[in-house]
Amino acid sequence: MLIKRWFGSLVNRAVALVVGGIILSALLVTIAGSLLSRSELEQQARSQVETIAALVAGELDQKLALRLSALNHVAQNLTMSAPVLDVRARILIRRQTALQHLFDAVYLIDANGEIVAEHPESFRQTGLDVSGREYFQRISSTLTPVISEPYISNNQDKPTVMVAAPIFDHRQRFIGMIGGAIHLDGDNFMAEFINLRIGKTGYLGVATRSGVTVAHGRTGQAMAPVRVANPVLRDAMEGFEGTLQTRNGDGEATIMSVQQMTQVPWFVAAVWPAREAYAPITRTADAFIWILLVVILLIAPLALWRFRRLMAPLKALGDQIRERHLGMRSDPVDVSGGTEIRQVAEIFNTVMDEREEVLVSLAEREAFFRSLTQSAPIGIVQTDVLGRIEFANPAFEAIIGRPSEELTQTYLSARIHKADRKAAIAGWKHATRNQTLFRGQFRLEPREPDRVIWGDVMTAAIQTPEKALGTVTVVRDISHELEVEEALRDEQQRAETILGVLQEGVLMVDTEGVIRYANDAACRFLGAEGECVLRNFFRLITIRADDRELTHQAFLSGEDLDSLYVTLLNTVGESFDIDLTMLHIRRGREDERLVFVLRDDSDRRREEERLSWEATHDSLTQLLNRRAFNASLIQCLGEAGRQEVRSVLMLIDLDYFKPVNDEGGHLLGDDLLRRLADLFKDSVRQSDTVARLGGDEFGIILPACGLARAETLAERIRANVEALRIEQDGRSFGVTTCIGLTELTPDDNGPREALARADEGCYLAKSRGRNAVVVVPSPPAG
């Protein structure tokens, strides 16, 4: 009841309304500002964290690639025999000044996994057996450079990563490796990255996909297990990249960005606590609340005092209006207030006479027209029945460049350019006579004679039932619009010219597949030169990708395509290898369009096939090269455990080939090698692998052949090679072969063991007088 009585006063209502309005406005502004600020801050924070993660991952990749490349380059220059390598190991290591600057320690390891030299020598690792280390086993089996998983080194038990490259002798046999150690907690480039900070408390971390922490910027730990309870880190171990909100090990909300590395199966995680990222919002909200309290404390008393002053004359106003109604008062009364004002307004409405209402209405209309035209952004001109200007607003003055004093009582037609004046006068007369709206576009006469102004002019007659009073004309400056339209037309013409000369086909179709635009190149692809537009694109062609046909609906409902390799078949039977790009324009709208870009990709695909063939074949004999042979041998070893009949490896070393080159010339030697290659291919099955491994060394893999059949085949090859002769200048040239055979077993750890056995067979054949086949049995199981 007390509250109801308090709100019965208009003053109290007004004060409550003001305070409520301030609080409501402040609340809405605070909520909207907080949401917008948080969204913007979150986007900025995510972008900042993602950028730092990408930069650090790229920089780490670059530094690791530099070190791997440097080691591989040094390893390629250490081609020598194993005894020489063992003797010169310390000298070779001391000479590698560049590697000493790149790594915390540099090691030279022989083929048995024993460290034969190191730098610095104070680490005392020489003589240590590292054959059980993961990096040595990987290099000895794959014979390729590696970056190891993190491990605890024998030197001071430090967490370390080994970058290593294999070393081969002149016969491409593995004789050892050179490696560079990077201490994860050392004073090197890893410390530079991990010590980076995001804001004040954000940090970086590096871990392997196998779940081992390489470095942690917050705890400083290395070689600790990755916290798989964190779903972002768990997804990162499976190849995830992106930025998400999560929680760290202390349960604190964070923004985490994950970036995968390319040189090693590692990933970089940049973490920024959310409380720090969104700290500006909290500070702003606190300041805003204090300001709001101060404003309310100031505004509420002031509003209460002011409203009481305004309501004080209410009783006197009631008396004045009553006197006016009785004719005792002629002066107008001033009305204001709330509940009392409704009483005053009721009395005031009963005493207003019709004349005062008409005068007030006319005054309001005049004021409205003047205020409307004065503030209008377009030119407004009022003329009399003869077309003379009676009023021009400031916008029209600005268009013409003349003040209102110069325009008043001059003919509006005089402001039209002479070339357009006659047509404008005729249009105005016709509109005035027929009481219609006239509209046209004319050039105007500005103050500057060299300036051209185009105006969009609209004129309506001012009339009463008895007579015409004049016209009202609205003028809008469209000079800039026309310039823009002209520029757009020029750009469209330029674009169509460019598209017309492009070799790529460019076309646009609607949702039904009807072609709305196509350049000449696109029409050539469709087999309908000059007749593309308004035909159905999907009825003219068939598009296939990965042995499936891409339909009209697949393009319409699918996402944008970027460089999809497809085969295009048109209705005239032509087939093209196409690099296809497709974009949706105004997707989901009634005027949706699909834009297709067709690039002929035949030459590039043929070049890729040629380069792929050259990478795996010997250019002279057309046989597989050593790299392809090793890959095939690794595959065959992987299948050895599933075969009932053993596969066999055959190495063929030519005897007396050097005299053929020296006495008959290199061309004769090349011809002999090609004939031998054909002989080898004709002697084996299509499923067998024949390769040239070196100058006069060949290899054959016989899957599921069995040793007995392989030995028979080897004797036939040996006899056929012995019988092969080439005549030149009355002389006969030929060679014999030493052939080593061995079975491939599931116990072989890699191609190196099998090749060593077959190679041993070749050496035994040579020691027995050459031109022989020697079988080297595989070692017993286990």
Side-chain angles (χ1 to χ4, degrees):
M1 190 66 180
L2 183 61
I3 296 176
K4 186 175 181 181
R5 287 178 57 188
W6 191 85
F7 276 102
S9 170
L10 189 60
V11 173
N12 296 340
R13 290 184 186 181
V15 173
L17 181 63
V18 170
V19 174
I22 293 174
I23 294 174
L24 181 61
S25 300
L27 183 62
L28 292 176
V29 170
T30 302
I31 294 174
S34 177
L35 292 176
L36 293 175
S37 299
R38 183 178 181 87
S39 176
E40 184 176 355
L41 278 174
E42 181 177 354
Q43 185 63 31
Q44 291 176 356
R46 289 168 65 96
S47 177
Q48 183 175 349
V49 173
E50 187 171 340
T51 300
I52 292 174
L55 288 174
V56 171
E59 193 68 21
L60 279 174
D61 271 329
Q62 182 179 358
K63 290 186 178 295
L64 288 174
L66 170 65
R67 284 156 174 77
L68 187 64
S69 176
L71 271 175
N72 194 34
H73 177 73
V74 171
Q76 291 174 357
N77 291 328
L78 295 180
T79 302
M80 59 187 70
S81 65
V84 174
L85 179 68
D86 187 55
V87 171
R88 301 185 60 193
R90 292 191 176 183
I91 298 175
L92 293 174
I93 283 295
R94 291 170 182 170
R95 290 179 178 176
Q96 306 306 321
T97 307
L99 295 182
Q100 295 169 11
H101 288 290
L102 292 175
F103 296 95
D104 295 315
V106 182
Y107 301 102
L108 195 60
I109 304 169
D110 64 14
N112 297 318
E114 180 180 342
I115 298 177
V116 294
E118 64 177 322
H119 179 87
E121 296 180 352
S122 59
F123 286 177
R124 301 181 183 276
Q125 302 295 300
T126 302
L128 183 68
D129 183 8
V130 296
S131 59
R133 291 290 192 185
E134 173 260 352
Y135 60 83
F136 182 83
Q137 294 177 356
R138 282 174 58 191
I139 281 192
S140 60
S141 60
T142 64
L143 303 180
T144 57
V146 300
I147 300 176
S148 75
E149 290 286 311
Y151 65 94
I152 300 298
S153 71
N154 295 311
N155 175 33
Q156 300 177 3
D157 294 333
K158 290 186 175 182
T160 306
V161 170
M162 179 67 74
V163 183
I167 302 173
F168 302 93
D169 63 11
H170 295 288
R171 298 180 65 88
Q172 293 300 306
R173 295 179 178 176
F174 175 72
I175 62 172
M177 56 171 278
I178 184 168
I182 302 172
H183 294 158
L184 300 181
D185 58 354
D187 186 13
N188 50 37
F189 69 95
M190 290 294 294
E192 297 175 6
F193 291 114
I194 297 307
N195 290 332
L196 287 175
R197 285 290 176 267
I198 306 172
K200 293 182 179 179
T201 60
Y203 57 91
L204 294 168
V206 182
T208 69
R209 291 188 192 173
S210 59
V212 178
T213 300
V214 177
H216 198 293
R218 181 169 66 93
T219 64
Q221 292 180 336
M223 295 294 294
V226 173
R227 192 168 61 88
V228 295
N230 190 315
V232 179
L233 295 178
R234 187 168 59 248
D235 292 343
M237 291 166 61
E238 298 176 359
F240 165 76
E241 278 188 339
T243 304
L244 296 172
Q245 286 197 1
T246 182
R247 294 186 178 275
N248 60 16
D250 298 332
E252 183 181 15
T254 60
I255 301 172
M256 179 181 292
S257 180
V258 174
Q259 186 72 30
Q260 299 290 339
M261 296 176 60
T262 57
Q263 290 296 322
V264 286
W266 298 358
F267 61 89
V268 174
V271 183
W272 195 7
R275 57 175 174 74
E276 182 179 342
Y278 306 147
I281 298 177
T282 305
R283 292 195 296 268
T284 302
D286 293 340
F288 195 87
I289 292 173
W290 283 109
I291 293 173
L292 177 63
L293 291 175
V294 172
V295 169
I296 292 174
L297 292 175
L298 292 176
I299 293 297
L302 181 62
L304 184 63
W305 171 78
R306 183 58 181 166
F307 286 142
R308 289 191 183 279
R309 289 288 303 272
L310 291 174
M311 297 298 294
L314 184 60
K315 189 174 183 298
L317 285 176
D319 295 336
Q320 292 176 11
I321 292 174
R322 192 175 295 106
E323 291 174 0
R324 175 74 184 273
H325 177 67
L326 297 175
M328 299 168 59
R329 185 182 180 89
S330 59
D331 296 333
V333 297
D334 189 12
V335 294
S336 60
T339 304
E340 298 83 356
I341 289 177
R342 288 196 297 272
Q343 179 185 2
V344 174
E346 183 178 349
I347 298 172
F348 177 77
N349 290 333
T350 62
V351 298
M352 288 292 99
D353 55 38
E354 183 178 354
R355 179 175 179 279
E356 288 179 337
E357 289 179 357
V358 172
L359 292 176
V360 170
S361 176
L362 289 175
E364 288 177 350
R365 292 181 181 181
E366 178 71 14
F368 174 77
F369 177 76
R370 293 291 180 180
S371 62
L372 177 65
T373 56
Q374 288 290 334
S375 59
I378 57 177
I380 300 177
V381 183
Q382 179 186 347
T383 66
D384 59 17
V385 292
L386 300 178
R388 292 174 298 194
I389 298 175
E390 293 183 338
F391 169 78
N393 72 338
F396 184 76
E397 297 174 14
I399 293 173
I400 299 299
R402 298 177 183 274
S404 179
E405 294 78 11
E406 293 185 19
L407 298 175
T408 304
Q409 296 305 312
T410 63
Y411 288 96
L412 178 59
S413 59
R415 304 305 163 194
I416 304 297
H417 194 275
K418 293 179 181 180
D420 301 334
R421 191 173 298 166
K422 185 176 180 180
I425 293 175
W428 279 334
K429 288 182 177 180
H430 181 270
T432 304
R433 189 182 310 114
N434 297 298
Q435 299 183 10
T436 58
L437 186 68
F438 168 71
R439 185 167 188 173
Q441 293 183 355
F442 306 110
R443 285 169 291 181
L444 306 180
E445 285 279 6
R447 181 182 291 273
E448 300 85 358
D450 57 343
R451 183 183 174 198
V452 178
I453 299 177
W454 280 91
D456 185 7
V457 180
M458 185 169 58
T459 300
I462 304 175
Q463 292 182 326
T464 65
E466 294 79 20
K467 63 177 181 178
L469 301 178
T471 63
V472 172
T473 301
V474 176
V475 181
R476 186 168 61 90
D477 187 354
I478 60 171
S479 304
H480 181 66
E481 294 179 11
L482 295 179
E483 292 174 1
V484 172
E485 290 177 1
E486 181 67 22
L488 289 175
R489 283 194 295 270
D490 292 342
E491 289 297 326
Q492 181 178 0
Q493 181 64 33
R494 187 179 298 109
E496 291 178 355
T497 303
I498 293 172
L499 290 174
V501 299
L502 285 177
Q503 296 298 319
E504 292 87 357
V506 180
L507 55 88
M508 180 171 62
V509 304
D510 60 18
T511 54
E512 299 299 324
V514 177
I515 300 174
R516 298 300 180 179
Y517 171 81
N519 65 354
D520 294 339
C523 292
R524 288 195 297 272
F525 282 123
L526 304 184
E529 295 189 25
E531 302 175 356
C532 290
V533 179
L534 299 183
R535 299 183 66 179
N536 193 289
F537 172 68
F538 298 102
R539 294 176 185 171
L540 292 175
I541 53 91
T542 300
I543 298 177
R544 292 186 175 277
D546 298 331
D547 296 328
R548 65 184 180 91
E549 182 176 339
L550 299 180
T551 63
H552 173 198
Q553 189 60 35
F555 285 110
L556 190 62
S557 60
E559 298 297 328
D560 293 349
L561 300 177
D562 184 16
S563 294
L564 177 66
Y565 297 122
V566 301
T567 301
L568 183 147
L569 180 66
N570 60 30
T571 53
V572 298
E574 296 175 322
S575 179
F576 300 92
D577 291 329
I578 295 296
D579 182 1
L580 175 66
T581 297
M582 187 274 293
L583 302 174
H584 289 271
I585 298 179
R586 299 185 293 273
R587 186 165 192 170
R589 289 170 47 180
E590 198 171 315
D591 56 344
E592 180 180 353
R593 295 291 185 266
L594 304 178
V595 176
F596 291 86
V597 180
L598 311 174
R599 304 179 185 89
D600 192 346
D601 203 43
S602 304
D603 292 339
R604 189 194 63 78
R605 294 194 186 184
R606 284 193 293 269
E607 181 64 12
E608 283 185 354
E609 293 173 357
R610 183 186 67 81
L611 292 175
S612 177
W613 188 91
E614 290 179 354
T616 57
H617 287 76
D618 174 58
S619 60
L620 176 63
T621 62
Q622 312 300 305
L623 297 178
L624 293 178
N625 59 18
R626 179 180 288 274
R627 178 186 299 174
F629 181 83
N630 284 340
S632 180
L633 180 56
I634 291 172
Q635 180 180 359
C636 198
L637 286 170
E639 297 171 353
R642 300 189 297 271
Q643 294 176 337
E644 296 180 0
V645 179
R646 294 280 178 86
S647 299
V648 178
L649 170 63
M650 180 188 303
L651 289 187
I652 303 172
D653 203 348
L654 302 184
D655 302 326
Y656 312 112
F657 179 72
K658 188 174 186 303
V660 175
N661 266 341
D662 294 343
E663 299 173 19
H666 288 285
L667 293 179
L668 178 65
D670 290 347
D671 185 30
L672 177 60
L673 289 175
R674 282 192 289 268
R675 295 193 187 190
L676 289 172
D678 294 337
L679 186 153
F680 297 151
K681 286 190 292 186
D682 295 340
S683 300
V684 299
R685 302 166 297 182
Q686 289 186 352
S687 59
D688 299 335
T689 300
V690 183
R692 182 187 179 195
L693 305 182
D696 59 353
E697 186 179 7
F698 296 84
I700 300 177
I701 301 173
L702 305 169
C705 176
L707 191 58
R709 290 177 57 192
E711 187 173 0
T712 302
L713 174 62
E715 284 292 344
R716 186 167 65 249
I717 290 175
R718 182 199 61 76
N720 290 340
V721 173
E722 183 181 11
L724 178 64
R725 310 294 294 180
I726 298 179
E727 302 293 331
Q728 176 176 289
D729 298 332
R731 298 184 60 185
S732 177
F733 295 88
V735 295
T736 60
T737 58
C738 290
I739 301 178
L741 292 176
T742 187
E743 285 185 323
L744 303 180
T745 70
D747 293 330
D748 286 327
N749 292 326
R752 178 166 164 261
E753 293 184 12
L755 287 170
R757 291 199 304 272
D759 200 29
E760 182 182 351
C762 291
Y763 278 106
L764 289 173
K766 288 184 182 295
S767 66
R768 296 175 184 176
R770 305 177 186 266
N771 194 21
V773 176
V774 175
V775 176
V776 178
S778 57

